[in-house]
């Protein structure tokens, strides 16, 4: 048994990393943070962990110096920039987020994918709701039970208040229902 376990010693850290990811972030601070400079995905997963914990500043601190090279990195940097922009009421930060999203959504490899269309719906951040709805309508059926899908807000903002209200009433999250915004 010692021989078998020692043959996998080289993979100990990636296995621990993956266990945290597959267990929904359980143990993230103890496992992921020490691996941030060892396993590239550990940084991204740490950013996601902090974002899910509503710790926008920590997620921003981890990603601010990352130079994105892949669509998921651009998207994550855009998500964090958008969250920071909303938290700080910074139009500049929202514009930066929208630029990251546009780079992905406008790329030939991503424009016809759901993540690419989600990125193009970032017109929402610039309060260009009619443009956002073009993209939101194209993948709405994939997010029917997703409370974070901004369809209701876009509908209401374009004057379709009855459709917006119907969508708002589908929200299940108590946190979202109790948020006055």
């Amino acid at each position: 048994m010692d021989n078998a376990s020692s043959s996998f010693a080289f993979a100990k850290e990636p296995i621990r990393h993956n266990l945290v990811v597959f267990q929904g972030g359980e143990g993230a601070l103890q496992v992921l943070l020490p691996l941030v400079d060892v396993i590239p995905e550990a940084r991204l997963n740490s950013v996601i962990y902090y974002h899910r914990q509503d710790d926008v500043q920590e997620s921003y601190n981890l990603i601010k110096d990352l130079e994105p090279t892949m669509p998921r990195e651009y998207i994550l940097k855009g998500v964090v920039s958008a969250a920071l922009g909303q938290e700080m009421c910074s139009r500049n930060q929202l514009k930066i987020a929208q630029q990251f999203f546009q780079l992905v959504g406008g790329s030939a490899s991503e424009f016809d994918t759901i993540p690419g269309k989600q990125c193009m719906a970032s017109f929402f951040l610039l309060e260009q709701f009619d443009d956002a709805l073009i993209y939101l309508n194209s993948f709405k059926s994939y997010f029917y039970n997703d409370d974070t899908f901004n369809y209701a807000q876009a509908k209401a903002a374009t004057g379709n208040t009855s459709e917006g209200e119907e969508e708002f009433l589908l929200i299940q999250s108590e946190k979202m229902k109790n948020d006055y915004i």
Side-chain angles (χ1 to χ4, degrees):
M1 192 67 160
D2 288 332
N3 201 13
S5 63
S6 67
S7 66
F8 290 106
F10 71 93
K12 182 178 115 184
E13 298 307 325
I15 290 170
R16 289 180 64 216
H17 169 271
N18 290 346
L19 283 172
V20 167
V21 171
F22 293 124
Q23 293 172 347
E26 187 177 316
L29 297 177
Q30 295 81 15
V31 175
L32 295 182
L33 291 180
L35 298 175
V36 162
D37 294 321
V38 179
I39 300 173
E41 289 81 10
R43 177 176 301 279
L44 301 178
N45 287 321
S46 295
V47 170
I48 293 167
Y49 171 79
Y50 279 120
H51 183 74
R52 287 183 176 160
Q53 301 302 312
D54 292 327
D55 193 339
V56 175
Q57 192 60 54
E58 268 313 307
S59 63
Y60 176 74
N61 290 342
L62 279 169
I63 204 166
K64 68 181 176 186
D65 295 326
L66 175 78
E67 290 299 325
T69 59
M70 299 167 44
R72 68 177 181 234
E73 294 171 344
Y74 282 98
I75 292 169
L76 190 55
K77 201 153 181 178
V79 167
V80 171
S81 295
L84 188 64
Q86 288 175 327
E87 188 172 275
M88 297 173 48
C89 297
S90 168
R91 298 289 293 150
N92 186 52
Q93 200 65 38
L94 292 174
K95 188 171 184 167
I96 290 169
Q98 201 265 343
Q99 289 170 346
F100 282 122
F101 291 136
Q102 292 297 306
L103 284 170
V104 174
S107 73
S109 64
E110 298 295 320
F111 79 91
D112 205 23
T113 65
I114 290 175
K117 290 177 181 185
Q118 284 177 294
C119 286
M120 291 305 291
S122 66
F123 285 111
F124 191 95
L125 296 173
L126 301 176
E127 298 179 13
Q128 297 172 356
F129 301 110
D130 287 319
D131 293 330
L133 275 172
I134 292 169
Y135 296 99
L136 293 171
N137 282 324
S138 73
F139 59 87
K140 176 185 174 199
S141 62
Y142 293 97
F143 293 90
Y144 184 74
N145 291 323
D146 186 341
D147 288 345
T148 62
F149 185 59
N150 291 329
Y151 193 73
Q153 290 173 306
K155 278 293 194 179
T158 58
N160 295 316
T161 54
S162 61
E163 289 180 56
E165 182 181 13
E166 287 174 26
E167 295 292 328
F168 277 123
L169 291 173
L170 295 174
I171 293 174
Q172 298 297 307
S173 165
E174 289 302 318
K175 180 181 176 187
M176 290 180 85
K177 285 180 180 182
N178 293 325
D179 187 343
Y180 73 95
I181 294 174

